[in-house]
Amino acid sequence: MIYIELLLSFIQIGLFSIGGGYAAMPLIEHQAVNVNGWLTMQEFADIITISEMTPGPITINSATFVGIRVAGLPGALVATAGCILPSSIIVTILAFIYYRFKGIDAVSSVLKGLRPAIIAMIATAGLSLMNMALFNGDISNGISITALVIFVIAFIILKKWKTNPIFVMLGAGLMNLIFGLV
Amino acid sequence: MGLSHFLFFNYNQLMKEKLRKYLTLFLSTLEISAFTFGGGFVIIPLMRKKFVFKLKMIDDEEMLDLTAIAQSAPGAIAVNASILVGYKIGGVLGALISILATVIPPFVIISVISHFYIAFRDNRYVSLVMGGMIAGVAAVVADLVISMAWDILKRKRLVEILMLIISFILLEFMNLNIIALIFIAGAVGYADYEISRRWGHDLH
């Protein structure tokens, strides 16, 4: 039955994608394109493009997309439920363990050791975002002056007024639209 | 106006406060999820602004711990981070509420778009707005990284500063796997603790 196939495929994707969206992509391709033939390679490329243009994790986006194409809205619900099921269980258990044991010195020392590494991880992810925003994904494309101006203005506004980042993002989108049209 | 009235009143107050907390959690997570563009970890700066600085429901260091857990567990980082924040604020029910709030925006948006996704993908206005938003997101993440790195530098602990620099080099230039880095950094943290415990001083 298609619902069970969707569920099982996306449980596997949810379970084995460790380390974010880039780890999930090959798994989604394997399940949706190669094993089950739910998407063509072109459709898979499209869903990645659309994921970059819309909010939300790529696994949720592709689960919804694949589910709806294969079995309509119920299919989308089943596939999405499948891909969040493993982490819902595992991460809730981890949350329980964290709050139970974080008071122990040895545990908190390990967590303290992780903090600089986590900041470095966010920094590298931030750099690839800047690469995407300012150089259109590759430094050899040259810098986009419009994007740079928007980036600098957004950064100053955030630093100076501690504005809600959502307004800054919306403003940045609007600015680029206006620049693009005039 | 007896004791029972008093108890009932208190119970009502308590329920109201609980409901308000869950509602705040749901609406905040919904709002954040609707704006998590450009990769799941973008949810971290948004959550930090909302839950650490605005609502003051989580402290800053705890948010970093939660990020570490979200990053090392299987599944989408945005969903994992929401589960952890939800659990902190409202236990297992809180976790369920925030999972729901995280999934609803992308689910609804993709369900709608899937019917005309080619037109959406090729639309000039859409791609202009999205291009600008990515530049905005990059600024949000840069702001977060600078403020967090500054916190580390301010503390002037050699181990932490070195770990920040080395981790960055390993990830950016050596393509080290994130899980491997988490193990290494955890081990360094533990060694640092053992050394200062046994010899009674910090590594400065």
Side-chain angles (χ1 to χ4, degrees):
Chain A
M1 206 176 116
I2 187 70
Y3 296 119
I4 294 175
E5 282 167 32
L6 278 170
L7 187 71
L8 292 178
S9 289
F10 277 94
I11 284 178
Q12 287 178 52
I13 292 169
L15 188 59
F16 294 111
S17 58
I18 301 177
Y22 295 103
M25 277 182 211
L27 294 170
I28 298 167
E29 186 197 336
H30 178 71
Q31 287 292 335
V33 182
N34 304 341
V35 177
N36 295 297
W38 288 325
L39 296 180
T40 63
M41 204 50 215
Q42 179 59 46
E43 285 170 320
F44 176 69
D46 287 342
I47 178 74
I48 290 176
T49 315
I50 290 164
S51 286
E52 277 167 7
M53 299 169 81
T54 56
I58 185 165
T59 42
I60 307 281
N61 288 340
S62 48
T64 309
F65 188 84
V66 171
I68 227 162
R69 305 223 92 201
V70 176
L73 211 53
L77 279 172
V78 168
T80 305
C83 83
I84 58 173
L85 191 65
S87 55
S88 303
I89 297 167
I90 294 167
V91 177
T92 306
I93 294 171
L94 289 177
F96 171 78
I97 295 172
Y98 169 72
Y99 284 108
R100 184 89 172 66
F101 295 107
K102 75 166 179 158
I104 297 169
D105 283 351
V107 175
S108 75
S109 72
V110 170
L111 289 167
K112 249 193 205 149
L114 291 186
R115 285 173 197 154
I118 293 298
I119 296 171
M121 272 174 212
I122 301 177
T124 55
L127 279 184
S128 55
L129 260 178
M130 281 175 74
N131 184 28
M132 198 157 99
L134 304 182
F135 303 100
N136 206 5
D138 195 335
I139 217 145
S140 64
N141 288 332
I143 193 162
S144 152
I145 300 295
T146 331
L148 182 67
V149 169
I150 293 172
F151 174 82
V152 171
I153 293 174
F155 185 79
I156 293 171
I157 290 174
L158 281 164
K159 265 266 163 292
K160 236 184 153 157
W161 291 288
K162 312 244 171 272
T163 318
N164 185 342
I166 287 167
F167 296 134
V168 175
M169 284 156 63
L170 282 175
L174 206 65
M175 257 168 81
N176 200 43
L177 180 66
I178 294 166
F179 281 148
L181 293 180
V182 293
Chain B
M1 287 294 272
L3 183 65
S4 68
H5 179 270
F6 177 74
L7 284 176
F8 183 67
F9 175 76
N10 256 350
Y11 176 75
N12 253 348
Q13 273 304 97
L14 214 70
M15 281 309 285
K16 259 192 195 154
E17 266 169 40
K18 265 202 157 157
L19 270 178
R20 190 173 303 143
K21 190 174 71 178
Y22 288 129
L23 193 67
T24 309
L25 177 65
F26 181 79
L27 293 177
S28 307
T29 312
L30 197 71
E31 177 192 312
I32 288 171
S33 173
F35 285 91
T36 306
F37 287 92
F41 69 92
V42 170
I43 205 165
I44 304 299
L46 301 181
M47 283 184 151
R48 186 171 182 253
K49 282 248 154 128
K50 192 77 173 189
F51 291 108
V52 177
F53 296 129
K54 189 149 178 250
L55 299 171
K56 298 191 180 4
M57 286 170 150
I58 296 176
D59 75 56
D60 205 10
E61 308 224 303
E62 197 177 349
M63 192 67 224
L64 272 179
D65 292 346
L66 299 185
T67 309
I69 301 170
Q71 181 80 262
S72 16
I77 292 167
V79 176
N80 294 353
S82 303
I83 295 173
L84 291 159
V85 166
Y87 185 90
K88 153 77 186 185
I89 291 169
V92 174
L93 182 59
L96 285 173
I97 288 172
S98 56
I99 292 171
L100 199 64
T102 310
V103 172
I104 288 173
F107 186 86
V108 171
I109 291 168
I110 296 289
S111 299
V112 173
I113 287 177
S114 69
H115 299 291
F116 53 89
Y117 73 96
I118 293 179
F120 178 83
R121 187 195 63 192
D122 297 337
N123 186 288
R124 183 163 164 249
Y125 304 113
V126 172
S127 65
L128 277 172
V129 171
M130 290 310 152
M133 282 183 81
I134 294 293
V137 174
V140 169
V141 176
D143 176 45
L144 169 85
V145 169
I146 290 171
S147 81
M148 288 196 310
W150 182 242
D151 284 343
I152 296 258
L153 296 180
K154 253 191 336 208
R155 279 209 295 274
K156 293 188 179 147
R157 289 209 61 226
L158 188 61
V159 191
E160 287 180 87
I161 295 172
L162 277 178
M163 275 310 290
L164 180 65
I165 297 167
I166 295 171
S167 305
F168 180 77
I169 294 172
L170 287 174
L171 286 172
E172 185 68 26
F173 303 108
M174 319 257 168
N175 281 322
L176 183 75
N177 182 290
I178 283 174
I179 304 297
L181 179 64
I182 283 175
F183 274 104
I184 296 170
V188 170
Y190 184 71
D192 181 25
Y193 158 77
E194 276 293 326
I195 289 167
S196 52
R197 195 174 64 118
R198 288 197 191 166
W199 285 283
H201 59 80
D202 275 357
L203 284 178
H204 275 294

